[in-house]
Protein backbone atom coordinates (compact mmCIF):
# COMPACT_ATOMS: atom_id res chain seq x y z
CA UNK A 1 0.00 0.00 0.00
CA UNK A 2 1.21 3.56 -0.76
CA UNK A 3 2.19 5.63 2.27
CA UNK A 4 -0.43 8.35 1.62
CA UNK A 5 -3.19 5.72 1.32
CA UNK A 6 -2.01 4.04 4.52
CA UNK A 7 -2.00 7.35 6.43
CA UNK A 8 -5.39 8.34 5.12
CA UNK A 9 -6.92 4.90 5.88
CA UNK A 10 -5.35 4.76 9.35
CA UNK A 11 -6.31 8.27 10.48
CA UNK A 12 -9.39 9.13 8.42
CA UNK A 13 -7.56 12.27 7.18
CA UNK A 14 -8.00 13.47 3.59
CA UNK A 15 -5.26 12.87 1.03
CA UNK A 16 -4.49 16.63 0.95
CA UNK A 17 -4.08 16.69 4.75
CA UNK A 18 -1.74 13.68 4.46
CA UNK A 19 0.30 15.39 1.72
CA UNK A 20 0.57 18.43 4.00
CA UNK A 21 2.06 16.21 6.78
CA UNK A 22 4.51 14.67 4.29
CA UNK A 23 5.63 18.04 2.91
CA UNK A 24 6.18 19.34 6.44
CA UNK A 25 8.42 16.37 7.33
CA UNK A 26 6.14 15.05 10.05
CA UNK A 27 6.22 11.39 8.94
CA UNK A 28 8.86 8.77 9.82
CA UNK A 29 8.80 5.27 8.32
CA UNK A 30 10.93 2.74 10.20
CA UNK A 31 12.85 5.62 11.77
CA UNK A 32 13.55 7.39 8.45
CA UNK A 33 12.00 10.71 7.43
CA UNK A 34 9.72 10.17 4.43
CA UNK A 35 8.16 12.85 2.22
CA UNK A 36 7.15 10.63 -0.71
CA UNK A 37 3.38 10.09 -0.92
CA UNK A 38 3.86 7.06 -3.17
CA UNK A 39 6.42 5.39 -0.89
CA UNK A 40 5.40 1.69 -0.88
CA UNK A 41 4.80 -0.06 2.46
CA UNK A 42 5.48 -3.61 1.33
CA UNK A 43 5.98 -5.20 4.72
CA UNK A 44 4.81 -4.36 8.26
CA UNK A 45 6.38 -0.97 8.98
CA UNK A 46 6.46 1.45 11.88
CA UNK A 47 4.85 4.70 10.75
CA UNK A 48 5.03 7.74 13.05
CA UNK A 49 3.21 11.07 12.76
CA UNK A 50 4.80 13.71 15.01
CA UNK A 51 6.38 10.80 16.91
CA UNK A 52 3.04 8.96 17.49
CA UNK A 53 2.48 5.50 16.01
CA UNK A 54 -0.10 5.38 13.21
CA UNK A 55 -1.73 1.96 12.81
CA UNK A 56 -4.41 0.64 10.48
CA UNK A 57 -7.75 -0.15 12.10
CA UNK A 58 -8.36 -3.88 12.60
CA UNK A 59 -10.51 -5.43 9.88
CA UNK A 60 -14.07 -6.32 10.79
CA UNK A 61 -16.32 -9.18 9.67
CA UNK A 62 -20.07 -9.47 10.27
CA UNK A 63 -23.09 -11.44 9.19
CA UNK A 64 -26.45 -9.74 8.68
CA UNK A 65 -29.96 -11.11 8.20
CA UNK A 66 -31.15 -8.95 5.30
CA UNK A 67 -34.88 -8.27 5.39
CA UNK A 68 -37.07 -7.69 2.29
CA UNK A 69 -36.99 -4.19 0.80
CA UNK A 70 -33.36 -3.52 1.74
CA UNK A 71 -30.72 -3.27 -1.01
CA UNK A 72 -27.19 -4.63 -1.01
CA UNK A 73 -25.48 -1.35 -1.87
CA UNK A 74 -23.50 1.29 -0.01
CA UNK A 75 -25.98 4.02 -0.94
CA UNK A 76 -29.33 4.08 -2.71
CA UNK A 77 -31.69 6.92 -3.53
CA UNK A 78 -34.83 4.84 -2.99
CA UNK A 79 -34.40 1.88 -0.63
CA UNK A 80 -32.61 1.52 2.73
CA UNK A 81 -29.30 -0.30 2.32
CA UNK A 82 -27.63 -3.08 4.31
CA UNK A 83 -24.96 -0.50 5.21
CA UNK A 84 -27.69 1.74 6.71
CA UNK A 85 -28.74 -1.23 8.87
CA UNK A 86 -25.28 -1.65 10.37
CA UNK A 87 -23.92 1.91 10.24
CA UNK A 88 -25.39 3.10 13.54
CA UNK A 89 -22.94 0.61 15.13
CA UNK A 90 -20.14 0.37 12.56
CA UNK A 91 -18.26 3.18 10.83
CA UNK A 92 -19.57 2.93 7.25
CA UNK A 93 -16.16 3.74 5.71
CA UNK A 94 -14.61 0.89 3.81
CA UNK A 95 -17.48 -1.54 4.48
CA UNK A 96 -17.87 -4.03 1.66
CA UNK A 97 -20.67 -6.50 0.94
CA UNK A 98 -19.38 -10.00 0.19
CA UNK A 99 -21.98 -11.31 -2.27
CA UNK A 100 -25.16 -9.36 -2.95
CA UNK A 101 -28.82 -10.34 -2.71
CA UNK A 102 -31.73 -8.87 -4.68
CA UNK A 103 -33.96 -6.35 -2.91
CA UNK A 104 -36.73 -8.95 -2.48
CA UNK A 105 -34.37 -11.74 -1.33
CA UNK A 106 -33.87 -12.22 2.40
CA UNK A 107 -31.17 -13.90 4.45
CA UNK A 108 -27.45 -14.17 4.98
CA UNK A 109 -25.23 -11.28 3.87
CA UNK A 110 -21.56 -10.99 4.84
CA UNK A 111 -20.07 -7.54 5.43
CA UNK A 112 -16.38 -6.78 5.90
CA UNK A 113 -13.69 -4.12 5.71
CA UNK A 114 -11.22 -6.70 4.35
CA UNK A 115 -11.08 -6.61 0.56
CA UNK A 116 -8.88 -9.70 0.25
CA UNK A 117 -11.21 -11.77 2.40
CA UNK A 118 -14.15 -10.57 0.35
CA UNK A 119 -12.36 -11.69 -2.81
CA UNK A 120 -11.64 -15.15 -1.34
CA UNK A 121 -15.37 -15.69 -0.92
CA UNK A 122 -16.80 -14.02 -3.99
CA UNK A 123 -14.22 -14.71 -6.73
CA UNK A 124 -15.93 -16.95 -9.33
CA UNK A 125 -13.01 -19.42 -9.34
CA UNK A 126 -13.46 -20.15 -5.64
CA UNK A 127 -16.80 -21.96 -6.23
CA UNK A 128 -17.97 -21.07 -2.73
CA UNK A 129 -21.23 -22.87 -1.87
CA UNK A 130 -24.34 -20.73 -1.31
CA UNK A 131 -27.50 -22.42 0.00
CA UNK A 132 -30.94 -20.90 -0.60
CA UNK A 133 -34.42 -21.85 0.56
CA UNK A 134 -36.56 -21.35 -2.53
CA UNK A 135 -40.33 -21.23 -2.87
CA UNK A 136 -41.44 -22.00 -6.42
CA UNK A 137 -44.72 -21.50 -8.27
CA UNK A 138 -44.47 -25.05 -9.72
CA UNK A 139 -43.07 -28.29 -8.28
CA UNK A 140 -39.75 -29.57 -9.66
CA UNK A 141 -39.86 -32.96 -11.42
CA UNK A 142 -37.03 -35.53 -11.61
CA UNK A 143 -35.91 -34.16 -14.97
CA UNK A 144 -35.49 -30.68 -13.41
CA UNK A 145 -33.32 -32.14 -10.62
CA UNK A 146 -31.16 -33.77 -13.28
CA UNK A 147 -30.90 -30.56 -15.32
CA UNK A 148 -29.81 -28.68 -12.20
CA UNK A 149 -27.17 -31.36 -11.54
CA UNK A 150 -25.89 -31.18 -15.10
CA UNK A 151 -25.68 -27.35 -15.17
CA UNK A 152 -28.48 -25.09 -16.37
CA UNK A 153 -27.83 -22.95 -19.42
CA UNK A 154 -28.92 -19.41 -18.55
CA UNK A 155 -30.36 -17.10 -21.18
CA UNK A 156 -27.61 -14.83 -22.55
CA UNK A 157 -24.69 -16.80 -21.02
CA UNK A 158 -22.05 -18.60 -23.09
CA UNK A 159 -21.29 -21.36 -20.59
CA UNK A 160 -23.74 -23.39 -18.52
CA UNK A 161 -23.87 -22.92 -14.75
CA UNK A 162 -21.84 -25.19 -12.53
CA UNK A 163 -23.70 -28.24 -11.24
CA UNK A 164 -26.23 -27.31 -8.56
CA UNK A 165 -28.10 -29.50 -6.07
CA UNK A 166 -31.72 -29.30 -5.03
CA UNK A 167 -33.48 -30.97 -2.12
CA UNK A 168 -37.29 -31.02 -1.79
CA UNK A 169 -38.72 -29.79 1.52
CA UNK A 170 -42.24 -30.20 0.10
CA UNK A 171 -43.91 -29.71 -3.31
CA UNK A 172 -43.16 -25.99 -3.59
CA UNK A 173 -40.23 -25.43 -1.20
CA UNK A 174 -36.65 -26.55 -1.92
CA UNK A 175 -33.12 -26.11 -0.71
CA UNK A 176 -30.80 -25.19 -3.56
CA UNK A 177 -26.99 -25.18 -3.44
CA UNK A 178 -25.11 -23.18 -6.07
CA UNK A 179 -21.40 -22.57 -6.51
CA UNK A 180 -21.31 -19.24 -8.34
CA UNK A 181 -22.92 -15.85 -7.87
CA UNK A 182 -24.20 -14.79 -11.29
CA UNK A 183 -26.65 -11.90 -11.51
CA UNK A 184 -30.16 -13.08 -10.43
CA UNK A 185 -28.80 -16.60 -10.74
CA UNK A 186 -31.46 -18.58 -8.89
CA UNK A 187 -34.36 -16.71 -10.51
CA UNK A 188 -32.81 -17.18 -13.96
CA UNK A 189 -32.12 -20.88 -13.32
CA UNK A 190 -35.74 -21.42 -12.39
CA UNK A 191 -36.93 -19.35 -15.37
CA UNK A 192 -34.84 -21.67 -17.59
CA UNK A 193 -36.91 -24.54 -16.14
CA UNK A 194 -40.15 -22.61 -16.91
CA UNK A 195 -40.66 -22.03 -13.22
CA UNK A 196 -40.89 -18.91 -11.08
CA UNK A 197 -39.30 -18.00 -7.73
CA UNK A 198 -41.98 -16.83 -5.30
CA UNK A 199 -39.62 -16.41 -2.35
CA UNK A 200 -35.86 -16.60 -1.95
CA UNK A 201 -33.89 -16.75 1.29
CA UNK A 202 -30.13 -17.41 1.68
CA UNK A 203 -29.28 -19.61 4.64
CA UNK A 204 -25.57 -20.44 4.24
CA UNK A 205 -22.32 -19.33 2.58
CA UNK A 206 -19.27 -21.61 2.58
CA UNK A 207 -20.75 -23.68 5.41
CA UNK A 208 -21.48 -20.68 7.68
CA UNK A 209 -25.20 -20.59 8.47
CA UNK A 210 -27.54 -17.72 9.32
CA UNK A 211 -29.15 -19.90 11.97
CA UNK A 212 -31.37 -17.98 14.42
CA UNK A 213 -30.30 -14.39 13.65
CA UNK A 214 -33.54 -12.34 13.35
CA UNK A 215 -34.31 -10.18 10.26
CA UNK A 216 -32.43 -6.86 10.44
CA UNK A 217 -30.01 -8.18 13.09
CA UNK A 218 -26.27 -8.55 12.60
CA UNK A 219 -23.37 -9.98 14.60
CA UNK A 220 -19.57 -10.17 14.32
CA UNK A 221 -18.35 -13.41 12.75
CA UNK A 222 -16.48 -15.78 15.05
CA UNK A 223 -12.70 -16.09 14.41
CA UNK A 224 -13.33 -19.70 13.30
CA UNK A 225 -15.97 -18.53 10.77
CA UNK A 226 -13.62 -15.84 9.39
CA UNK A 227 -10.81 -18.32 8.74
CA UNK A 228 -13.16 -21.04 7.49
CA UNK A 229 -14.70 -18.74 4.88
CA UNK A 230 -11.33 -17.51 3.61
CA UNK A 231 -9.33 -20.74 3.74
CA UNK A 232 -11.60 -23.78 3.90
CA UNK A 233 -15.18 -22.95 2.89
CA UNK A 234 -17.35 -25.98 3.54
CA UNK A 235 -19.95 -27.61 1.33
CA UNK A 236 -22.92 -28.65 3.45
CA UNK A 237 -25.19 -31.59 2.61
CA UNK A 238 -28.68 -30.32 1.89
CA UNK A 239 -30.37 -33.28 3.60
CA UNK A 240 -28.50 -32.44 6.80
CA UNK A 241 -29.29 -28.72 6.54
CA UNK A 242 -32.97 -29.61 6.05
CA UNK A 243 -33.02 -31.56 9.32
CA UNK A 244 -32.12 -28.43 11.30
CA UNK A 245 -34.51 -25.93 9.65
N1 LIG B 1 -30.17 -15.52 -7.01
C1 LIG B 1 -31.14 -14.62 -7.30
O1 LIG B 1 -31.83 -14.74 -8.30
N2 LIG B 1 -31.31 -13.58 -6.45
C2 LIG B 1 -30.59 -13.42 -5.32
O2 LIG B 1 -30.82 -12.47 -4.58
C3 LIG B 1 -29.59 -14.36 -5.04
C4 LIG B 1 -29.40 -15.41 -5.91
Amino acid sequence: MRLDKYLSHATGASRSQVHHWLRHKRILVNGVLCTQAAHPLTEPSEVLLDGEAVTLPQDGYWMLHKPQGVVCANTDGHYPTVIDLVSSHLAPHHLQIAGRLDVDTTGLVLITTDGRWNHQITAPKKHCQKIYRVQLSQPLNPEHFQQLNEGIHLHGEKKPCLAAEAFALNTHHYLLAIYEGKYHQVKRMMAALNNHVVNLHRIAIGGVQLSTLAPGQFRPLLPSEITQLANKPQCLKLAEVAQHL
Side-chain angles (χ1 to χ4, degrees), residues 3 19 26 38 41 49 54 59 63 72 81-82 85 102 115 119-120 138 145 162 189-190 194 231:
L3 178 58
H19 290 183
R26 292 168 64 183
L41 296 173
L49 164 63
V54 178
D59 277 313
M63 71 157 67
C72 282
T81 72
V82 292
L85 289 184
D102 298 336
H119 178 78
Q120 289 286 102
Q138 306 296 325
F145 279 85
L162 295 174
M189 286 166 86
M190 293 306 150
N194 294 319
N231 304 329

Side-chain angles (χ1 to χ4, degrees), residues 20-39:
H20 181 268
W21 294 336
L22 289 161
R23 273 198 311 277
H24 287 80
K25 302 185 170 48
R26 292 168 64 183
I27 305 295
L28 292 186
V29 177
N30 296 327
V32 178
L33 178 70
C34 190
T35 55
Q36 299 301 313
H39 178 82

Side-chain angles (χ1 to χ4, degrees), residues 66 100-106 130 132 176 178 180-189 197 200-202:
K66 184 183 105 54
R100 290 162 191 250
L101 293 177
D102 298 336
V103 64
D104 56 346
T105 304
T106 57
K130 269 82 63 179
Y132 293 87
L176 182 71
I178 63 173
E180 306 142 283
K182 293 185 201 292
Y183 183 62
H184 293 330
Q185 181 162 343
V186 175
K187 290 173 187 163
R188 289 164 70 206
M189 286 166 86
V197 172
L200 189 58
H201 177 76
R202 184 155 67 194

Side-chain angles (χ1 to χ4, degrees), residues 131-136 138-141 145 148 165-177 190 199-203 209 237-245:
I131 301 180
Y132 293 87
R133 195 180 63 219
V134 193
Q135 184 184 353
L136 296 174
Q138 306 296 325
L140 293 177
N141 64 34
F145 279 85
L148 286 164
E165 297 120 34
F167 179 91
L169 298 169
N170 56 46
T171 54
H172 287 74
H173 291 84
Y174 298 84
L175 292 181
L176 182 71
M190 293 306 150
N199 219 294
L200 189 58
H201 177 76
R202 184 155 67 194
I203 57 179
Q209 299 191 57
K237 299 249 183 299
L238 296 185
E240 284 170 21
V241 173
Q243 280 182 354
H244 298 102
L245 287 179

Side-chain angles (χ1 to χ4, degrees), residues 222-234:
L222 302 171
S224 58
E225 292 171 328
I226 297 165
T227 37
Q228 174 184 323
L229 283 164
N231 304 329
K232 276 197 222 132
Q234 288 177 10

Side-chain angles (χ1 to χ4, degrees), residues 84-140:
D84 295 334
L85 289 184
V86 300
S87 63
S88 57
H89 296 73
L90 311 175
H93 312 293
H94 312 296
L95 290 180
Q96 301 181 8
I97 304 157
R100 290 162 191 250
L101 293 177
D102 298 336
V103 64
D104 56 346
T105 304
T106 57
L108 177 59
V109 172
L110 300 174
I111 296 175
T112 184
T113 57
D114 183 344
R116 278 198 205 168
W117 185 83
N118 185 351
H119 178 78
Q120 289 286 102
I121 296 161
T122 53
K125 281 188 186 154
K126 303 286 177 183
H127 300 172
C128 181
Q129 185 194 53
K130 269 82 63 179
I131 301 180
Y132 293 87
R133 195 180 63 219
V134 193
Q135 184 184 353
L136 296 174
S137 59
Q138 306 296 325
L140 293 177

